[in-house]
Amino acid sequence: MAIFKAVKISESVYWVGAIDWNIREFHGYTTHHGSTYNAYLVLADKPTLIDTVKAPFKDELLQRISSVIDPRDIAYIVSNHTEMDHSGCLPEIIQIVKPEKVFASVMGAKALNQHFTLPQEIVPLKTGDELSLGNKTLAFTETRMLHWPDSMFSYLKEERLLFSQDGFGMHLASEERFSDEVDQGLLDYESATYFANILLPYANLITALLDKVKATGLAIDMIAPDHGPIWRRDLAVILDKYRAWSEQKPTRKAVVLYDTMWHSTERMARAVEEGLREGGARVQLMSMAAFHRSDVAYEILDAGALVVGSPTLNNNIFPTVADVLTYLKGLRPKNLVGAAFGSYGWSGESALQVNDILNEMKIEIAHEPVKCQYVPHEDSLAQCHAMGMKVARRLIEVAG
Ligand code: FEO
């Protein structure tokens, strides 16, 4: 008996994915609300499966397909993205389904063969290629680096439905299949968190892609991503959000992140916070003992300033602060001003080392690093407060 059933999402398309309620770690990103691995079955003359799921969820995928058709009736499989959460069970699915053809982008065909030993050749596709399913047509656009070099979008012309793999997705396990059915606060939070942690490094490419799609005048009624809910009535909302997140125009919000050993750097952080607020900034204070690095990425997405505090430990940046800086550096946030501070015992390298990393991240330094030996007294706290005021003044100049 098939426990897992397909969900019809349009005239000929069924959601046949898997729900991963319990995943909390996704290559360094904490997924507070689990995820889904979406796959789609197009019931055309040539039944076509768009993407598969993470390997342990193969049976869930097969059961959902079986609730509509015999999986062996699938003629084509299209792999929009090679990452294992979408291709992990592809080799086994090919063995079971024995499709006539399997398709991927040019880079996807290469990457799939580097990941797996596949029982049949992958037919490469490039931007502008179309695939006839008999009574339906799929058109393809390569979307390199959104999220991997192999990524592509597939567009079902007759139903104006875009299969967007990681694009417009979010890590959210839920019973609801459509975005308009999900609590809107949760939807906003998870879509922004996903963008910040997965797509931020490629923000410039996203802006260019949005412009390209707009120029083609392509009509889209539904966006079906590979994670989280499907967009149907609220396409303009998510498209506008993607543009805003991609542009990262600075706001008056400042993120102060720090960790502390004996509360000295923490006291400095509170003085910076007060200075920022008095200077006119909105502040989000984040101790790395309390927040995860992916929570910081979410807060940075709509911030204009990043101020970082670290004690010196064994001539180095404190490990939790080094961790989040390494992560943020990889995400390449734009248009930030910032500064560094930290306490120390006898050598005091950390504030300077943090300042160097902020420079490497192309963050405009608004104040020289502030260091304090052992415990901050009135003069050190006043310096931190003044630093906060100065960062806030610069933030207001750039953010307006
Ligand atoms: Fe959901 Fe880039 O994989």
Side-chain angles (χ1 to χ4, degrees), residues 13-87:
V13 179
Y14 288 78
W15 175 84
V16 290
I19 306 176
D20 190 349
W21 292 97
N22 298 320
I23 188 169
R24 290 294 180 271
E25 203 286 323
F26 206 100
H27 50 56
Y29 162 7
T30 283
T31 48
H32 296 290
H33 297 107
S35 193
T36 65
Y37 313 112
N38 298 338
Y40 300 96
L41 179 66
V42 183
L43 275 195
D45 291 343
K46 294 281 190 185
T48 299
L49 179 66
I50 310 281
D51 286 322
T52 64
V53 298
K54 205 172 177 179
F57 295 87
K58 177 202 72 183
D59 290 344
E60 187 170 337
L61 169 73
L62 282 171
Q63 282 197 21
R64 292 194 199 277
I65 294 169
S66 300
S67 72
V68 184
I69 59 167
D70 185 329
R72 290 167 297 188
D73 290 340
I74 291 172
Y76 299 148
I77 298 176
V78 174
S79 171
N80 276 332
H81 182 20
T82 301
E83 195 165 6
M84 298 282 224
D85 45 335
H86 311 297
S87 71

Side-chain angles (χ1 to χ4, degrees), residues 26-27 81 83 85-86 147-148 166 171 194 198 226-227:
F26 206 100
H27 50 56
H81 182 20
E83 195 165 6
D85 45 335
H86 311 297
H147 163 230
W148 275 13
D166 281 348
H171 288 311
Y194 184 90
I198 300 286
D226 274 0
H227 297 291

Side-chain angles (χ1 to χ4, degrees), residues 60-174:
E60 187 170 337
L61 169 73
L62 282 171
Q63 282 197 21
R64 292 194 199 277
I65 294 169
S66 300
S67 72
V68 184
I69 59 167
D70 185 329
R72 290 167 297 188
D73 290 340
I74 291 172
Y76 299 148
I77 298 176
V78 174
S79 171
N80 276 332
H81 182 20
T82 301
E83 195 165 6
M84 298 282 224
D85 45 335
H86 311 297
S87 71
C89 68
L90 181 64
E92 281 187 274
I93 294 295
I94 293 174
Q95 293 279 10
I96 294 164
V97 167
K98 296 187 174 50
E100 291 172 31
K101 289 180 181 173
V102 181
F103 301 89
S105 69
V106 174
M107 296 293 280
K110 194 173 162 199
L112 286 170
N113 282 310
Q114 288 171 316
H115 277 72
F116 308 110
T117 302
L118 294 169
Q120 68 186 81
E121 279 188 23
I122 307 292
V123 181
L125 297 164
K126 51 189 190 314
T127 295
D129 282 353
E130 293 192 353
L131 173 66
S132 171
L133 312 183
N135 56 338
K136 306 275 178 186
T137 313
L138 281 171
F140 303 96
T141 303
E142 292 161 284
T143 57
R144 289 186 186 186
M145 299 318 299
L146 302 175
H147 163 230
W148 275 13
D150 52 82
S151 294
M152 71 174 182
F153 286 177
S154 301
Y155 176 67
L156 185 62
K157 290 173 91 170
E158 292 77 8
E159 297 181 26
R160 311 207 303 193
L161 197 164
L162 183 72
F163 300 102
S164 60
Q165 37 92 27
D166 281 348
F168 309 106
M170 71 187 75
H171 288 311
L172 175 61
S174 72

Side-chain angles (χ1 to χ4, degrees), residues 283-297:
V283 189
Q284 174 68 50
L285 190 78
M286 308 184 86
S287 159
M288 294 319 297
F291 288 90
H292 190 267
R293 63 179 89 85
S294 47
D295 299 325
V296 177

Side-chain angles (χ1 to χ4, degrees), residues 246-258:
S246 301
E247 290 172 355
Q248 291 171 74
K249 287 188 182 151
T251 70
R252 290 190 178 194
K253 174 180 164 185
V255 173
V256 180
L257 73 84
Y258 70 97

